[in-house]
């Protein structure tokens, strides 16, 4: 098993960062469930001293995801939020950050309720408007934090253009790539300095692990993230590292079906007379469909639609049988949720309405079930409206 430097994406997903175990030949990287490593003699060890600092299972995952994001090194954390918190330690008191509006609720909470205590300031802008992004810079702006597609309205940011503007202002461009996954979009190849994930979603893909990862390209960032991963200690466990590593092997297969099912559900919903709007980048009616075609290799499994009222949304959410009513996304099972009262309940109602997150909006994370069963389920739920 030797990986060529020019190996393609699916091959890298399977093999990058992984060698058969040298002691047994086991093809799968073992779960190294150990806290410490015995040293051969004083000052002589095999590169492993203490398991917060180094763990072979975690390293295999970090190398794998670094390769599939076209980055240099990866650092795995106990959750997506821990990964974002680690990136935030690149800032110092007085620094300013520009954040895409509609950002993941937990990210907003970390920035607004925790990091503002440390004299950091944040400005939220609609980065689909590049002039608006340009106007948001101040002499203290050090970081631009973007998420595309956004949750739950699936709006896009032109990553290459936003990276360019950010660099002209001397700041770092960070992309949360959780919604697209590296299978559909690789921000580092479009100019981002750092890319991060909640591995809880598509990278693990099986709704059975919580984790996060940051992939870096610049030597200074790599050095700092390695230091901070050990200094703060919010590491991903060996078992979770192993689970995510198993997940990335099938990422291209899963994403191919997520794309098919997402597109089919969006087209089905767009043809329903009672549905007022469908938000999915793969529909020609999406305001940034052209950008999606250029920037993404597939439109993914996330979509949302407008039922018109809270009552209608409740009817649909309570009537589905196969789709599970749950927060989260990116797993093999189809999940359905109500952003206004679930994922975005902490956003004030005026702001929610201004963003388009109405009481009638329903979000779907399309899984990989047979699409005919998914459409049948949704059809019988919509029949009750
Ligand atoms: C879930 C999610 C996070 C947070 O990840 P956790 O693993 O839940 O901590 C961050 N960003 C996005 C886009 C997410 O969907």
């Amino acid at each position: 098993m030797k990986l060529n430097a020019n190996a393609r994406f699916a091959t890298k997903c399977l093999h990058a960062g992984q060698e058969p175990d040298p002691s047994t030949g086991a093809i799968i990287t073992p779960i190294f469930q150990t806290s410490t490593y015995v040293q051969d003699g004083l000052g002589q060890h095999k590169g492993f001293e203490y398991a917060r600092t180094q763990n072979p299972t975690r390293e295999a995952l970090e190398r794998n995801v670094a390769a599939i994001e076209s980055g240099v090194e990866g650092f795995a954390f106990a959750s997506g939020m821990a990964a974002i918190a680690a990136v935030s330690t690149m800032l110092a008191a007085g620094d300013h950050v520009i954040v895409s509006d509609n950002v993941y609720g937990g990210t907003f909470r970390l920035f607004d309720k925790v990091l503002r205590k440390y004299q950091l300031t944040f400005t939220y802008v609609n980065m689909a408007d590049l002039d608006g992004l340009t106007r948001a810079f101040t002499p203290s702006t050090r970081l631009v934090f973007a998420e595309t597609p956004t949750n739950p309205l699936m709006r896009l940011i032109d990553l290459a253009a936003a990276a360019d503007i950010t660099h002209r202002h001397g700041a770092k461009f960070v992309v949360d790539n959780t919604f697209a996954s590296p299978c559909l979009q690789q921000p580092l190849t479009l100019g981002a300095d750092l890319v991060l994930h909640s591995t809880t979603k598509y990278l693990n893909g099986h709704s059975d692990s919580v984790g996060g990862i940051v992939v870096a390209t610049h030597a200074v960032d790599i050095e700092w993230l390695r230091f901070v991963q050990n200094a703060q200690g919010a590491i991903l466990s060996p078992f979770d590292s192993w689970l995510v590593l198993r997940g990335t092997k099938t990422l291209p297969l899963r994403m191919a079906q997520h794309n098919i099912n997402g597109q089919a559900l969006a087209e089905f919903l767009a043809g329903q007379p009672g549905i007022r709007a469908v938000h999915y980048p793969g529909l020609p009616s999406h305001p940034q469909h052209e950008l999606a075609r250029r920037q993404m290799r597939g439109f993914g499994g996330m979509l949302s639609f407008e039922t018109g009222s809270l009552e209608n949304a409740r009817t649909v959410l309570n009537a589905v049988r196969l789709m599970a009513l749950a927060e989260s996304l990116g797993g093999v099972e189809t999940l359905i949720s109500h952003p206004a009262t679930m994922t975005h309940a902490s956003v004030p109602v005026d702001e929610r309405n201004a963003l388009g997150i109405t009481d009638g909006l329903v979000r779907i994370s399309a899984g990989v079930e047979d699409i005919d069963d998914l459409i049948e389920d949704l059809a019988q739920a919509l029949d009750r409206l």
Side-chain angles (χ1 to χ4, degrees):
M1 267 178 12
K2 197 97 191 89
L3 198 59
N4 282 336
N6 61 353
R8 278 92 174 164
F9 186 77
T11 309
K12 284 200 274 189
C13 285
L14 275 165
H15 296 296
Q18 294 166 81
E19 303 284 332
D21 178 50
S23 64
T24 62
I27 191 163
I28 295 301
T29 305
I31 303 167
F32 282 90
Q33 193 69 27
T34 187
S35 60
T36 191
Y37 308 88
V38 177
Q39 308 196 4
D40 294 335
L42 190 59
Q44 294 174 326
H45 56 76
K46 300 178 168 70
F48 297 91
E49 296 149 283
Y50 183 64
R52 171 166 24 82
T53 323
Q54 309 106 348
N55 179 282
T57 319
R58 196 177 80 221
E59 277 186 6
L61 172 67
E62 290 170 338
R63 290 188 183 140
N64 179 260
V65 177
I68 66 180
E69 276 289 7
S70 301
V72 178
E73 290 206 30
F75 301 92
F77 294 91
S79 67
M81 289 319 306
I84 296 170
V87 167
S88 305
T89 64
M90 294 177 160
L91 299 162
D95 286 352
H96 172 246
V97 181
I98 303 173
V99 187
S100 55
D101 63 1
N102 240 332
V103 78
Y104 178 73
T107 305
F108 174 75
R109 182 172 54 199
L110 173 70
F111 291 169
D112 193 61
K113 301 290 190 293
V114 181
L115 297 181
R116 283 203 307 133
K117 291 201 326 183
Y118 300 92
Q119 280 84 50
L120 295 168
T121 53
F122 298 87
T123 302
Y124 298 85
V125 300
N126 170 10
M127 289 188 199
D129 170 14
L130 294 170
D131 292 335
L133 169 61
T134 305
R135 281 194 302 274
F137 282 88
T138 75
S140 318
T141 307
R142 295 287 171 271
L143 205 122
V144 172
F145 189 99
E147 202 180 295
T148 176
T150 61
N151 177 24
L153 292 166
M154 308 304 294
R155 293 295 147 79
L156 268 53
I157 295 164
D158 183 334
L159 289 175
D164 191 45
I165 292 167
T166 301
H167 292 151
R168 275 193 268 128
H169 289 83
K172 261 188 221 312
F173 191 54
V174 182
V175 177
D176 180 338
N177 201 27
T178 301
F179 262 52
S181 92
C183 190
L184 306 188
Q185 160 180 294
Q186 292 178 343
L188 297 175
T189 65
L190 298 170
D193 300 290
L194 295 163
V195 62
L196 62 89
H197 285 272
S198 166
T199 60
T200 314
K201 317 295 169 51
Y202 286 108
L203 289 186
N204 180 60
H206 292 74
S207 317
D208 53 11
S209 162
V210 171
I213 198 159
V214 183
V215 177
T217 50
H218 308 302
V220 281
D221 295 343
I222 289 168
E223 200 180 322
W224 178 254
L225 286 166
R226 177 174 297 119
F227 177 80
V228 146
Q229 185 189 41
N230 183 52
Q232 289 193 321
I235 48 163
L236 190 63
S237 77
F239 182 54
D240 286 285
S241 299
W242 182 85
L243 281 173
V244 181
L245 205 42
R246 190 174 62 162
T248 58
K249 288 181 202 298
T250 56
L251 180 67
L253 297 170
R254 288 185 285 110
M255 291 315 297
Q257 197 62 39
H258 287 301
N259 289 338
I260 289 169
N261 288 359
Q263 184 79 35
L265 286 174
E267 286 174 7
F268 167 75
L269 284 162
Q272 299 300 302
I275 300 304
R276 315 207 174 165
V278 183
H279 308 288
Y280 184 70
L283 290 179
S285 61
H286 187 282
Q288 296 157 301
H289 181 59
E290 281 313 310
L291 172 60
R293 291 171 65 103
R294 193 155 31 92
Q295 181 162 281
M296 303 175 74
R297 283 168 305 185
F299 305 113
M302 297 302 300
L303 61 140
S304 61
F305 58 99
E306 181 54 55
T307 62
S309 70
L310 178 60
E311 256 329 292
N312 286 349
R314 193 194 309 278
T315 301
V316 173
L317 290 161
N318 289 343
V320 289
R321 299 189 196 119
L322 178 60
M323 299 186 179
L325 176 58
E327 295 195 14
S328 197
L329 62 116
V332 286
E333 308 85 2
T334 296
L335 304 181
I336 192 163
S337 66
H338 186 239
T341 59
M342 294 171 73
T343 47
H344 290 68
S346 62
V347 181
V349 62
D350 292 348
E351 216 172 300
R352 264 202 324 258
N353 285 327
L355 290 167
I357 306 169
T358 59
D359 284 351
L361 192 75
V362 172
R363 185 186 87 174
I364 292 179
S365 168
V368 300
E369 296 93 342
D370 189 304
I371 185 58
D372 293 337
D373 289 323
L374 292 177
I375 287 178
E376 258 173 45
D377 188 34
L378 201 51
Q380 64 82 24
L382 294 176
D383 275 348
R384 306 189 186 206
L385 291 182

